[in-house]
Amino acid sequence: MTTNMQPLNWNDIYRVSEKRRVATQAEMERLREVCGVLPVGYQEFISEFGFGEFDSILVMRPEDVFGQINLLRESLAEWRCMCQDFDQPVMIPEQSVEDGVPLARTDWGDYYFCTPSDPGVLRYIWRGHDSDSNPSVLPLGFLNPFIHREENQEPEELGQENLVFDAFRDVFKYHVHLSGPKISPDAPDTLAILTRNVLDCLGPNKVVEDKEIRITTAYVKRFGAEVDIGFRARESQFYIFAHGDFEEESNFIECLAKLKHDGYAIDVVS
């Protein structure tokens, strides 16, 4: 992991939705009580941005923090046993098995956690618990851009293009497959045309394109959504994947209806 990390400039973070669920004073006190000393920047983060998703890292709501405490502690206990079995160095206090507190997690089960045994420190642990997955300290806590585990097991800081915070409460998710006369998997510019049509319909505030994996991500504040437009070569399918705020679901459905009116055949999978 890079050692010369800089504090996160919160002005660089793009909010998909301004609908925030920030911590109440009572919740803050309860979190402080169970954590002992809150990690650097945590109180400021959940007061400014609240709870939600930060590039596939979920900053957990208090009810989820308390609901997953036992799961985290079981994970830490398993990791300690693995270290002892394979003579690996034990990087976390033994007491954390009893008092570790999860504050954020990834979609694939990695945890960012603190423990009163080591006040004010934020660590993360990978669910895989392999020999390269020693829990690591995030030097600047919540003032540091979070890190992801890459396939080669090396941690990597999030880049500026990933600094997007989704302040969703209730979330809808759609997988949409597109076909019809406007879709030709053999035509090299089909995805580009489809993407332009979808973006024209969405009116996004921010667009990120990844040419390597042929995907465009649009962030749309007006209905609090992140929308991916891409092509799956294995199934030869063009698709839209969206997740957003339930309150704005009808606006997204209207967008799909406009695409259908424009000549796309739409199959809503979920």
Side-chain angles (χ1 to χ4, degrees), residues 110-122:
D110 305 345
Y111 276 107
Y112 296 79
F113 69 98
C114 68
T115 169
S117 310
D118 201 358
V121 175
L122 181 68

Side-chain angles (χ1 to χ4, degrees), residues 51-59 107 164-167 226 243:
F51 309 101
E53 187 174 312
F54 194 71
D55 193 47
S56 299
I57 297 173
L58 183 67
V59 181
D107 290 342
V164 176
F165 185 79
D166 299 349
E226 175 183 330
H243 64 89

